[in-house]
Structures are given as structure tokens and as C-alpha cells.
Amino acid sequence: MDRQLSPNSRRSFSFSSFRVKKRSHSHEEAGFPRRRGLRSFSSVRETSRKESVLDDGSTFQMHSGQDQVKKTGALPSGEDDGRQGALKRFSAMWSSFRRGKRDSTIKEPEPPGPSSLAVNENPRQQRYASGQYFFEYLVVVSLKKTKDGNSYEPQITYQFPKRDGMAKFQKEEEEKTLKAITLFCFPEGINWAPLTEYHSETFSFVLTEIDGSRRNGYCRRLLPGGKGARPPEAYCIISTLACFGLFSKIFDQVEKRRQISMAMIYPFMQKLREASFPAPGHTVEIKSFIPESGTEIIRLTRPLDSWLEHVDFATLFGCLTDNEVLLVFAAAVLERRIIFIADDLGTLSQVIHAVAALLYPFTWQHTFISIVPEILIDVVMAPTPYLLGVQKRLLDLVTDQSDLLVVDLSEDKKKTFIVSIGDEDSILPPKLQSEIIESLSNRKKASTVEELNRVVSEAFLHFFVRTVGHYASYVKRSHAGGQGVFEKRNFYKAIESKATRHFVKKFIQTQMFDLFIQEVEQQQPGPQQGIFHKKILEYQEKKKSDKTRKH
């Protein structure tokens, strides 16, 4: 970390991952050997935690079932300069993905747990344990000229509310987190120039800390008030709640007030902070005063399908055809490396979240960065699975390798799949591919975002019902209340279709399915709930009904 890096140098990352076939705890050393001073990350798919000590004395940890990089230990001291400084700031946190609690617990998705600013006996785990806020804080990230005056550096110029009464270590952690956030608000790096016009854009990212808590970052970038050319600034809301549509509406109100006066934003945010987060399908009303307009009532409604409230399938299908979406899904379901390319940050974040949502009820367990900051572009060289969003101007830095899928989302693309393995169209069973395409045709009838999300999600949910919906019959228990054991061989042999059986034999080797089954094995037997189980029961009843009619 202390070696000086030239602005054009590339820092390489080496990732390693292996699967533990047996369910015993493993503490073996695994990973690619360090070479040329590269940093290595390794992961173990068990409940035990594997640590890799880095050169600066800090520790990265990757937890069971997730390629989520988390760091403890102090950052090295010293002034930041260019790429090295940004990397130091980012090492406080890594962007990863896991949307709330998995449906594999066979429970209906619930609103995220409550949050609070109170300092508790165990502040790492209970930092926001009482009272549920819409958001933790709002920060304004501005571009400030560096000391040499030749470039710009993103800096937090405002934070609301101010954090008081925090322990010293909490304050230090929070400062590192806030500095890391600047990378995601301006992932392009330091190469900015003053502008006279700038179209505002909204995007999001997910942050995971060492204690396992997850926070969502929602950003709206716009041109601040003033005359003449000036750099854009970013408003970023940090929240434990995953609800992109709701926060987009909040940003509309923030931007509206910003055009009047900066001072108009904070009374509105205070009202929002005091409001209760609504239950799925419910609405909360926020009263806000605006000069010359009087008191306005802003209504914020959560969708009924709360597990889809962070998803916008319209953007995905606006960039890709139904068949192209199917090829991306096929690569994702086998946990391959996938990179999405676009100019617009909002497009990248919305598409990558939508692709991850197609895997429901399974959850992407590997590296997930909706917008890769330029300083970390070498993460594309990681050999482990990932879903990454990369701006198109960096395209030349990601196409110099094979064994991955590079998807161009831009409007002026010459072809959608810039790099591919070539077998994506043969991964899914042909009959089930046709069924998905047929179901997706119904989305044209959808008149609302909620209807579109329902049509799309059910098309892919039905695919998993058809392929692995019989899993519960092959989790055997030796005695009542005992832990279950999944009979893998009997499970896939029970599938009649040869094409489906061939796919399932590959799918059950993935980390997302393995973790799903591990959690099922640990559950107590009994009536199961959740939309996945509901669809399984509906499908089984339909099969019985069809069989009865034939006889």
C-alpha cells in the first residue's frame, strides 16, 4: 500500500474460491499463491471464517456462502494521492450483494429490521436496533479541486444528521465508510471538468460491513445551483432498506427543493426521518412546506410484492431482447463471470439488480458490484464468479480475457454479447426456454411497474419450480426434529426429462443451490410458507389434476 503507483498503473487482484464437498468445518489454507506482490482473497464455503492477513496488517474476511470481502484493522496512515489514496479509502468497505433474508428459509419476505442511532452494549451488531428510519443519513458529495489544481477529488461536504455520542472506534469506522462512499458516487475517478449542462441521474449500490450489516446507497447526481461552468455534485442516501423506486421518488423531492435552495432540503429530510417506514402495499404521507407553494403532501407507497421493490425489470428488457435476457440468466444460474457495459450509471445498477432478482428464490452468493469504480477495474481479472457493472469508456480494460460474458447495454451497441463462452443458448432445457419466452410475452399487457415485475418474476420462478421444486421430498431426517440430509443423487435421478436432468446436475453444484439446501436441512419439518413454496404446491396440484383427467 505504501508503494507509489503511477496514475496509469493497474493494481491486480487475485481471488480464489473452492467448494467444500463435505459438510465438515474446514480450516485448510486455500487460494492462489501471491505473486508479484498481488493481494490474494480466498473463500471457504462453510460456517467457519477464513482470514487472509494483508501487507498493511489488516484482515479481509469472506464468509460462508458469499464472496463478500470485509475488512477489519486500521487503514494505513498517510496522505491519499490519486489511485493509491482512493484504494486506501475503499479498503474500508467492499461492495457486495445479498438482498435481505433469503427466501430459502421458506418464509414470506419481511420488511428489514428496525434501526436506531443508539449506542448499545454490542454496538457493532445493534447500532440501529430500535426504531425504524427511512434512512440513516444523507450526504452531499462534491467535487473539489486537488492541491495541484489539475483534477477533482470527491469529498463529503454535508452530512445529515450529524452523528453524536458515538464511541471512538465507531466514529473512525463511520469516517472510513463515508470516504468509501465517495468512490461510488463518482466512480469515474478524478478526471472531471466543469460543466454548464448535466442531466441528473439516479443509481444505487450495496455495502456490507464486517458485522454483516448491509446498507444501500442511493445516489442522485446533478448540477448544483450557480452560474457558469461547475462540476456536478451527488446526493447520497444511506439506508438499511432496499427500495429503489421509493428512494427515487424521494430524490425527486430533494432535487425539486435543491433548485429553490439548499436550505429547503433538510426540513424535508427531517420529516422523512421521523416518519415510519410503511408496510408492503401501504402508504406514508410526508407534509413539507415550500415557499410560494404552501404545504405539500408527498405520498410514498411500497409495492405489495416487497421482495421486488428494489427491482426495475423495465430497464433490463429495454436494453435486451427476451432471448438475450434468457442467455444472461443461463450464465448467471451457473454462476459464471458476467460484466455489464453501459454509459449510464442508472442503467448499470438497475440491470444488475434485475438480473440478480431473476435468480429468486436463490441468491447470488459471489462478488456483486453494480458500478465498479475506476480505481478497482482490475477486479474483472478475478477468477471467481461475479456480476459487475462497468462504464463503457473502460471497455478496453475488460475485453482482454475470455471465459466470461460481457453484455453491452448501450443504445449504440454493434452487438450485445461482446465476449461469450458460446454455450449459453444450450444451458437451459429447450422446452423450459420456450415456456419462459411464452410467459414473458405477457409482460406487454402489463400497465404498471408492479404488474411487469410480477409477470417477469413468475416466469423465472416457474422455471425453478419445474426444475428443482421437488427438493423437499429428498431431504430425509433420521428422527423427528433431527437435521435433514439432502439425497442429491436420488433428487436429480427422479427427473424424467433428460435435458432437465442434465441441467439440474450442473445447477446443484452451484453455491447458491448448496447454501439453499443447507438452510433447508437445518430447518424443522412442518408446514412451509413463502411464494416459492406456494408456487410449488400450485404446480403439484395442477399435475395431479391433469393426471386425473387423463385417467
Side-chain angles (χ1 to χ4, degrees), residues 350-409:
Q350 289 173 23
V351 166
I352 199 169
H353 278 98
V355 169
L358 295 179
L359 301 173
Y360 186 86
F362 303 95
T363 304
W364 182 263
Q365 300 296 328
H366 302 274
T367 302
F368 179 103
I369 310 178
S370 56
I371 301 170
V372 178
E374 183 176 1
I375 188 70
L376 292 171
I377 191 60
D378 290 300
V379 71
V380 302
M381 295 189 296
T384 51
Y386 54 58
L387 292 178
L388 303 178
V390 174
Q391 289 181 282
K392 194 165 186 177
R393 61 189 181 80
L394 303 175
L395 179 61
D396 291 341
L397 301 179
V398 305
T399 56
D400 56 351
Q401 53 181 327
S402 57
D403 194 29
L404 79 165
L405 186 66
V406 179
V407 187
D408 193 346
L409 305 172

Side-chain angles (χ1 to χ4, degrees), residues 76-301:
S77 59
E79 295 184 1
D80 295 340
D81 58 318
R83 292 170 62 89
Q84 182 182 5
L87 186 61
K88 288 180 182 178
R89 292 196 304 274
F90 183 74
S91 60
M93 182 167 295
W94 187 266
S95 174
S96 64
F97 170 80
R98 192 173 182 185
R99 284 166 28 83
K101 195 171 183 178
R102 293 171 48 93
D103 185 73
S104 56
T105 57
I106 318 300
K107 293 183 179 179
E108 197 66 39
E110 299 176 357
S115 59
S116 172
L117 300 182
V119 178
N120 299 284
E121 291 182 1
N122 190 347
R124 283 183 182 273
Q125 296 180 359
Q126 304 179 29
R127 209 177 335 179
Y128 312 106
S130 62
Q132 184 161 359
Y133 297 108
F134 260 89
F135 66 98
E136 292 180 19
Y137 45 79
L138 164 74
V139 296
V140 179
V141 181
S142 303
L143 289 171
K144 300 293 184 181
K145 278 193 173 183
T146 54
K147 292 180 180 180
D148 58 16
N150 296 324
S151 58
Y152 287 87
E153 182 181 25
Q155 296 179 6
I156 292 179
T157 53
Y158 191 90
Q159 177 184 337
F160 171 82
K162 293 290 186 181
R163 291 298 183 81
D164 297 319
M166 296 176 69
K168 183 179 179 181
F169 81 92
Q170 283 182 301
K171 188 171 290 187
E172 290 174 349
E173 282 188 359
E174 202 68 28
E175 288 175 355
K176 293 171 186 176
T177 298
L178 292 172
K179 286 181 180 179
I181 288 169
T182 63
L183 283 178
F184 291 99
C185 290
F186 290 96
E188 298 88 346
I190 62 176
N191 298 319
W192 281 91
L195 305 168
T196 54
E197 292 184 3
Y198 183 80
H199 179 67
S200 66
E201 54 186 337
T202 306
F203 53 95
S204 65
F205 54 87
V206 181
L207 302 170
T208 301
E209 293 189 281
I210 185 63
D211 62 359
S213 61
R214 298 176 183 87
R215 295 187 283 183
N216 300 281
Y218 303 93
C219 291
R220 170 76 56 96
R221 289 204 317 205
L222 46 81
L223 205 60
K227 296 181 180 180
R230 54 208 182 277
E233 65 185 8
Y235 287 77
C236 184
I237 295 175
I238 305 300
S239 175
T240 56
L241 308 171
C243 192
F244 185 83
L246 208 63
F247 283 95
S248 292
K249 294 177 182 177
I250 292 172
F251 274 129
D252 291 340
Q253 298 298 323
V254 169
E255 187 170 359
K256 179 180 178 181
R257 284 155 178 76
R258 177 67 182 87
Q259 292 172 355
I260 301 172
S261 169
M262 176 77 80
M264 295 301 302
I265 295 174
Y266 307 110
F268 168 71
M269 296 303 291
Q270 181 62 41
K271 288 280 188 181
L272 183 67
R273 187 171 170 76
E274 293 170 354
S276 299
F277 190 67
H282 288 71
T283 300
V284 65
E285 295 184 347
I286 310 293
K287 293 182 179 180
S288 178
F289 178 78
I290 296 181
E292 300 181 3
S293 298
T295 300
E296 287 189 350
I297 298 179
I298 297 98
R299 293 177 175 84
L300 301 171
T301 304

Side-chain angles (χ1 to χ4, degrees), residues 322 437 439-447 451-452 455-456:
D322 292 4
I437 294 295
S439 297
L440 290 177
S441 64
N442 294 324
R443 66 186 172 82
K444 298 173 183 177
K445 303 174 186 177
S447 57
E451 288 179 7
L452 173 65
V455 170
V456 173

Side-chain angles (χ1 to χ4, degrees), residues 301-315:
T301 304
R302 285 184 71 191
L304 201 55
D305 295 327
S306 59
W307 62 280
L308 289 172
E309 62 188 343
H310 198 57
V311 179
D312 176 13
F313 285 125
T315 303

